[in-house]
Amino acid sequence: MSGKLIEMREKFPNTHVWVDSCSKADLEYGMSVGCVGATTNPVIVNQVLGSEMPEWKDTITELYKSNPEATEDDVAWMLIEKMGLRGCEMLRPVYEKENGACGKISMQTNIKNYHNAEKMAAQAVGFSKLADNIMVKMPINEAGLKAFEEATYRGVSINATVSFSVAQAVALAEAVERGMKRREAEGKDTSKMTPVCTIMIGRIDDWLKKAVARDSVAIDPEALEWAGVAVFKKAYKIFKERGYRTRLLTAAYRNIHHWQQFIGGDVSMTITSKWLKVYDNSNVEIRNYMDDPVPQQWLDQLDKLPDFHRAYDEDGMTVAEFEYYGAFVTCLEGFFKGYEQLLQQVRPMQFGSVLK
């Protein structure tokens, strides 16, 4: 195989690319172009069912038969685990080659528990016991930070999500450090723990576009394509300066900047197969862009927007304010809708051949 992604992998092996999917076809393609990880959540599982239902239909029906008291929610989570474990096995060669530093798949806890730290941490620990190359996603809000510290202390490699700001990223990194130190104080191993913090760069751009339209602000549209990049680069600089053990991860791709501007960094990027193909076939020069500053002309434009400062400034939001940021609300709403759509696909399978 040859292409820009393989070239990047060869020149910058510490810039990791994951495939933002758990479908068999996407994982196979992603690994062929150098991806070293993968992402799943109920929304993604719902999307995978849309293309792989013939493969999973009998499995779902059998889950109902084997668990006669199970609700559709119970079966949905059994399915989520099965898809995650398939991804674990596909990534196993990478995991073993990289001695646990790569080759993991992220699984997301039940978004309905986003206010319950105890339930999120318990589910995170449960997921981590399914396989040694599983990471666990939870949202960065007040309860999430408590869950991240506890799950880290209990040996879980976490992946923080529903994250859009420097303030969230820093709070998460501090929570992970507390969990790591508690674990180390008891002589427990942390050598194969690989915590990451997602910043959903495209969703930052999406939200600011809505805010600009809402507030009738005159701004160059190109500036809005750089907002997520600016937030991520600001967080990256802070993480490097403070030596946090959490690795930053980009997600929610919308344009070429969302890949190009992070080439060369000690970062991970979770990218859908659609955008992987766009980037792989691009004419982008593969060099270190991570240290390039965001053009001042775009920062000057973004400076007009209060919601940009909430995401960009380290003190832009308090912990209590995280879940009231517009991008957090819209993302959470999408996760709720995606989960309900998954249940709608799983529900009819309990009736087996009756509906054929």
Side-chain angles (χ1 to χ4, degrees):
M1 296 294 294
S2 63
K4 293 296 181 178
L5 295 174
I6 291 293
E7 182 183 352
M8 184 185 74
R9 177 72 176 153
E10 292 172 347
K11 289 184 177 179
F12 301 105
N14 211 36
T15 302
H16 299 166
V17 176
W18 301 359
V19 59
D20 198 33
S21 176
C22 62
S23 86
K24 184 177 181 180
D26 287 346
L27 277 166
E28 288 174 342
Y29 171 73
M31 293 176 70
S32 77
V33 294
C35 289
V36 295
T39 306
T40 182
N41 59 40
V43 176
I44 291 173
V45 169
N46 176 59
Q47 294 168 347
V48 172
L49 276 186
S51 60
E52 293 185 1
M53 181 58 88
E55 179 178 347
W56 291 101
K57 190 173 184 178
D58 290 344
T59 297
I60 299 170
T61 299
E62 183 57 35
L63 287 173
Y64 275 113
K65 288 181 179 178
S66 302
N67 302 275
E69 296 183 358
T71 66
E72 60 198 28
D73 294 86
D74 295 332
V75 170
W77 285 102
M78 293 176 199
L79 175 65
I80 289 166
E81 290 183 1
K82 284 183 175 293
M83 279 200 190
L85 286 171
R86 181 180 69 175
C88 287
E89 288 309 305
M90 293 180 71
L91 288 164
R92 176 68 53 186
V94 177
Y95 181 76
E96 293 177 351
K97 179 182 178 182
E98 299 294 334
N99 195 30
C102 303
K104 296 179 179 180
I105 190 166
S106 289
M107 295 176 62
Q108 185 166 301
T109 59
N110 191 337
I111 200 63
K112 291 186 175 182
N113 294 328
Y114 80 104
H115 276 152
N116 191 315
E118 185 176 343
K119 285 186 177 180
M120 285 190 288
Q123 190 174 25
V125 172
F127 282 161
S128 72
K129 292 179 179 179
L130 296 174
D132 53 3
N133 59 333
I134 285 178
M135 305 178 75
V136 183
K137 300 169 69 176
M138 298 179 282
I140 304 182
N141 62 346
E142 193 164 6
L145 291 170
K146 294 176 183 176
F148 283 122
E149 178 180 342
E150 181 62 21
T152 299
Y153 163 68
R154 295 174 69 179
V156 180
S157 287
I158 61 87
N159 177 357
T161 189
V162 198
S163 172
F164 317 92
S165 66
V166 173
Q168 285 176 286
V170 169
L172 179 279
E174 293 287 350
V176 169
E177 290 299 316
R178 291 192 298 272
M180 288 278 205
K181 289 173 182 176
R182 286 171 57 196
R183 187 170 177 82
E184 290 163 346
E186 296 180 6
K188 296 177 179 176
D189 184 34
T190 60
S191 63
K192 288 194 175 182
M193 294 177 67
T194 55
V196 300
C197 177
T198 298
I199 296 181
M200 306 179 86
I201 50 178
R203 287 183 179 269
I204 297 170
D205 296 357
D206 293 346
W207 173 249
L208 291 180
K209 290 170 187 177
K210 290 182 179 179
V212 164
R214 177 197 65 199
D215 299 336
S216 301
V217 178
I219 189 171
D220 190 319
E222 178 63 13
L224 298 172
E225 305 299 326
W226 286 84
V229 172
V231 170
F232 191 90
K233 289 198 173 195
K234 175 79 169 290
Y236 182 79
K237 184 173 183 292
I238 292 172
F239 273 47
K240 282 295 186 181
E241 290 172 348
R242 299 180 187 174
Y244 291 137
R245 286 178 279 186
T246 299
R247 183 182 182 90
L248 284 171
L249 180 145
T250 59
Y253 280 68
R254 305 289 189 266
N255 60 46
I256 196 73
H257 308 313
H258 291 164
W259 166 61
Q260 180 188 42
Q261 288 299 310
F262 309 120
I263 296 173
D266 297 328
V267 301
S268 298
M269 308 186 230
T270 183
I271 309 174
T272 63
S273 59
K274 168 193 167 182
W275 282 105
L276 285 174
K277 291 170 184 175
V278 170
Y279 300 146
D280 200 42
N281 294 303
S282 71
N283 60 0
V284 168
E285 177 189 0
I286 302 300
R287 65 167 180 82
N288 188 330
Y289 293 84
M290 190 70 231
D291 297 330
D292 291 356
V294 173
Q296 190 61 45
Q297 68 188 93
W298 306 134
L299 289 176
D300 289 343
Q301 292 276 318
L302 293 167
D303 187 58
K304 303 176 182 179
L305 308 177
D307 273 13
F308 173 70
H309 284 286
R310 294 180 72 190
Y312 185 74
D313 298 344
E314 185 178 350
D315 60 354
M317 288 186 281
T318 65
V319 170
E321 291 173 328
F322 290 165
E323 64 186 63
Y324 296 100
Y325 186 58
F328 190 106
V329 175
T330 56
C331 181
L332 200 70
E333 182 180 52
F335 281 160
F336 277 123
K337 288 181 179 178
Y339 179 63
E340 291 302 323
Q341 289 168 358
L342 173 61
L343 295 183
Q344 289 172 21
Q345 290 209 75
V346 167
R347 186 178 299 124
M349 298 302 104
Q350 63 189 293
F351 302 111
S353 61
V354 174
L355 297 180
K356 288 184 180 179

